[in-house]
Amino acid sequence: MSALAPDHSSRYTIQPTVLQALRSPRLLTREVVAGLVVALALIPEAIAFSVVAGVDPRVGLFSSFVLAVVIAFTGGRPAMITAAAGAVALVIAPLAREHGADYLIATVILAGVIQIVLAVLGVAKLMRFIPRSVMVGFVNALAILIFVSQMPQLIDVPWPVYVLVAAGLGILVVWPRITRLIPGPLIAVVLLTAAVVVFGISVPNVGDQGELPQSLPSLLLPNVPLTWETLQIIAPYAFAVALVGLLESLMTAKLVDDITDTHSRKTREAWGLGVANLAAAFFGGTGGCAMIGQTMINVKTSGARTRISTFAAGIWVLVLVVLLGDVVAVIPMAALVAVMILVSVSTFDWHSIRPATLKRMPVSETLVMLVTVVATVWSHNLAIGVILGVLTAMVLFARRVAHFTTVTRTVDGEVARYRVDGALFFASSNDLTTQFDYAVDPPRVVIDMSRSHVWDASTVATLDAIVTKYERHGVTVEITGMNEATAAFHQRLTDRPDA
């Protein structure tokens, strides 16, 4: 069954709480080890995203530490991983290159404030308007991007890299059949690192990705002038960071909800992300949001379910890069590539592209999914893909609903009666004026609206146009049967009384 298959049950699966996990050695071990596995996958990506954003690798690593620890307390989706993200790095990179690190930090501070304000305004409730076909496209595009992002580690590299990746994938597939007590990714990383060290195999490792920090992060304030000009520089980037971060975090939270059959508090997640970004900025870090790849490692691969795993991931990042930096540096990138390839394969909704599914699914649903996937993969921006997917779904839905509106005409002596059926809005009411026989109708026309509903001003204008056309022919028109909401709306926009 697909991970995104709708749940028709009104109940959610009961998940362990933080207190229950702390009291259970088995659950606590699972959460802490899951955090370790996530941290191992986070470190090279945080370094890579720092390079994309044009900042020191230590900035991305400290950001991931602060974001994960803070969101563990403030977030609304347990077990979701938040850290320095590629989408945010892409948005903020031009600002960092042109104006430097201080403006970057100021931008992240403003983005955090914007996210908190949007949360208070209820932006999380807009998630209900994202259709399932967009969610499927979002997941499939994400799986493709995760896979594609590993290609640089597989091109123009020594041949032992391919052997190590294949061995890592073999371990990840076989190990869960032996035991699930210890996550497969951790075993793969440990065994492949040991093999590289023992046999002296020369392959790219984590240390090659950038310098690891040697000390703890310190509190700081950006050195920027508090002027209108500064706001003009940072505001566009701050809004982009805030929207991209919220969109990815809320989409990821919804995905985890579906996978775990649990409910999360989206509004809390929205303002919690803003608080986490503020904290990261004041420690000199870049902005971030939910990391769906690492979240899938945490939730699907390692089986984590509580905030402990998120908190542990942040602590492990700090411990690994500060105290065990020399050990982390020798981990072969091939081990992490194998983990991310498995995440990509397990994230992709294979059910959605089966011939039987495509044959049964409406063409419009498949088209929306494809638009989301293509736009996301082409732009490397999940937010752009989701927005275009939603817009496509809206257009196709409006087009489909517009065809459900019908007009039926009957003549009873000196009275012509028209019955309008269906929802009336701009798409369905555009051709409404052409469905009346103005020249041949008798002196009195009754338009029965009892089986329809007026949704917008375009329809009110169309009804007025119909009445005006009849009046030019000396015909009296009576509009009857409007429901209370339609009558009130029509009365407010026209001077004509409603029957």
Side-chain angles (χ1 to χ4, degrees):
M1 179 174 156
S2 169
L4 289 177
D7 179 13
H8 298 292
S9 172
S10 60
R11 297 180 180 178
Y12 288 103
T13 302
I14 298 176
Q15 298 293 336
T17 64
V18 171
L19 287 177
Q20 289 173 336
L22 290 174
R23 292 169 182 168
S24 169
R26 182 181 63 84
L27 292 179
L28 183 59
T29 300
R30 183 188 70 182
E31 299 295 313
V32 173
V33 172
L36 173 59
V37 175
V38 168
L40 291 171
L42 265 179
I43 290 171
E45 289 209 17
I47 294 173
F49 294 152
S50 297
V51 174
V52 171
V55 297
D56 191 287
R58 289 170 289 190
V59 173
L61 291 168
F62 284 151
S63 295
S64 296
F65 156 66
V66 175
L67 286 164
V69 169
V70 174
I71 205 72
F73 293 95
T74 63
R77 173 64 259 177
M80 191 166 75
I81 303 298
T82 295
V88 173
L90 289 171
V91 170
I92 213 167
L95 176 74
R97 286 195 299 266
E98 295 177 17
H99 299 281
D102 285 313
Y103 278 84
L104 182 149
I105 295 170
T107 300
V108 176
I109 291 174
L110 180 57
V113 173
I114 293 171
Q115 286 172 335
I116 294 173
V117 172
L118 290 176
V120 173
L121 295 177
V123 70
K125 296 177 182 178
L126 297 178
M127 283 298 296
R128 71 184 68 177
F129 297 109
I130 297 181
R132 182 179 180 275
S133 53
V134 174
M135 278 293 296
V136 173
F138 169 81
V139 170
N140 290 347
L142 182 65
I144 294 171
L145 288 179
I146 291 173
F147 183 84
V148 170
S149 69
Q150 306 310 306
M151 290 300 101
Q153 304 296 336
L154 296 173
I155 299 174
D156 294 330
V157 293
W159 67 266
V161 169
Y162 303 110
V163 177
L164 290 172
V165 171
L169 289 172
I171 294 170
L172 291 168
V173 172
V174 173
W175 184 258
R177 300 178 183 178
I178 300 174
T179 178
R180 292 184 178 273
L181 185 61
I182 303 176
L186 180 59
I187 297 299
V189 169
V190 170
L191 291 181
L192 294 183
T193 302
V196 168
V197 173
V198 170
F199 295 105
I201 304 174
S202 178
V203 292
N205 55 37
V206 172
D208 297 330
Q209 305 301 307
E211 182 183 357
L212 299 178
Q214 304 295 324
S215 61
L216 296 174
S218 56
L219 192 65
L220 58 84
L221 293 174
N223 183 22
V224 296
L226 300 177
T227 62
W228 175 253
E229 183 181 357
T230 299
L231 183 62
Q232 287 181 309
I233 293 172
I234 68 174
Y237 293 99
F239 272 103
V241 168
L243 293 177
V244 168
L246 281 176
L247 185 57
E248 292 208 27
S249 291
L250 294 175
M251 290 284 286
T252 304
K254 190 175 188 302
L255 177 60
V256 177
D257 289 351
D258 292 338
I259 292 173
T260 61
D261 289 330
T262 58
H263 179 67
S264 61
R265 288 176 284 179
K266 304 299 190 302
T267 297
R268 176 173 173 175
E269 181 61 38
W271 68 256
L273 178 63
V275 172
N277 274 320
L278 282 174
F282 283 121
F283 278 98
T286 60
C289 61
M291 301 280 287
I292 192 164
Q294 280 69 23
T295 298
M296 291 300 100
I297 293 176
N298 197 44
V299 175
K300 293 191 72 174
T301 308
S302 300
R305 290 293 183 271
T306 74
R307 299 174 186 274
I308 295 174
S309 60
T310 306
F311 180 81
I315 297 299
W316 276 120
V317 166
L318 188 65
V319 170
L320 290 173
V321 301
V322 174
L323 300 183
L324 302 175
D326 294 338
V327 176
V328 174
V330 301
I331 295 175
M333 289 301 299
L336 301 178
V337 168
V339 172
M340 296 308 290
I341 289 176
L342 182 66
V343 169
S344 172
V345 172
S346 62
T347 299
F348 196 93
D349 186 359
W350 297 100
H351 175 77
S352 67
I353 60 171
R354 290 177 183 171
T357 303
L358 294 175
K359 184 177 180 180
R360 186 172 64 252
M361 194 70 64
V363 175
S364 59
E365 297 290 323
T366 303
L367 180 60
V368 170
M369 181 188 72
L370 289 176
V371 168
T372 305
V373 171
V374 172
T376 301
V377 174
W378 175 74
S379 66
H380 283 248
N381 190 319
L382 291 167
I384 290 177
V386 170
I387 291 172
L388 289 179
V390 171
L391 290 176
T392 303
M394 290 169 59
V395 171
L396 293 176
F397 175 76
R399 182 175 179 273
R400 186 165 63 248
V401 172
H403 294 303
F404 293 153
T405 302
T406 59
V407 178
T408 305
R409 177 179 182 266
T410 59
V411 178
D412 182 14
E414 295 296 310
V415 179
R417 299 182 183 276
Y418 288 87
R419 190 186 69 197
V420 183
D421 294 80
L424 297 174
F425 62 108
F426 62 92
S428 60
S429 63
N430 275 339
D431 297 329
L432 199 61
T433 56
T434 63
Q435 300 187 52
F436 292 82
D437 295 327
Y438 305 100
V440 300
D441 275 340
R444 183 166 176 261
V445 169
V446 176
I447 302 176
D448 181 7
M449 303 282 291
S450 59
R451 301 180 64 176
S452 62
H453 186 92
V454 174
W455 288 102
D456 61 5
S458 296
T459 303
V460 174
T462 299
L463 291 175
D464 284 351
I466 292 171
V467 172
T468 300
K469 285 178 178 290
Y470 272 119
E471 288 178 344
R472 290 174 183 168
H473 289 81
V475 176
T476 302
V477 179
E478 181 184 2
I479 300 177
T480 65
M482 285 186 174
N483 59 47
E484 186 177 347
T486 295
F489 185 64
H490 185 265
Q491 182 96 35
R492 189 166 69 248
L493 296 183
T494 182
D495 293 332
R496 301 178 187 277
D498 301 313

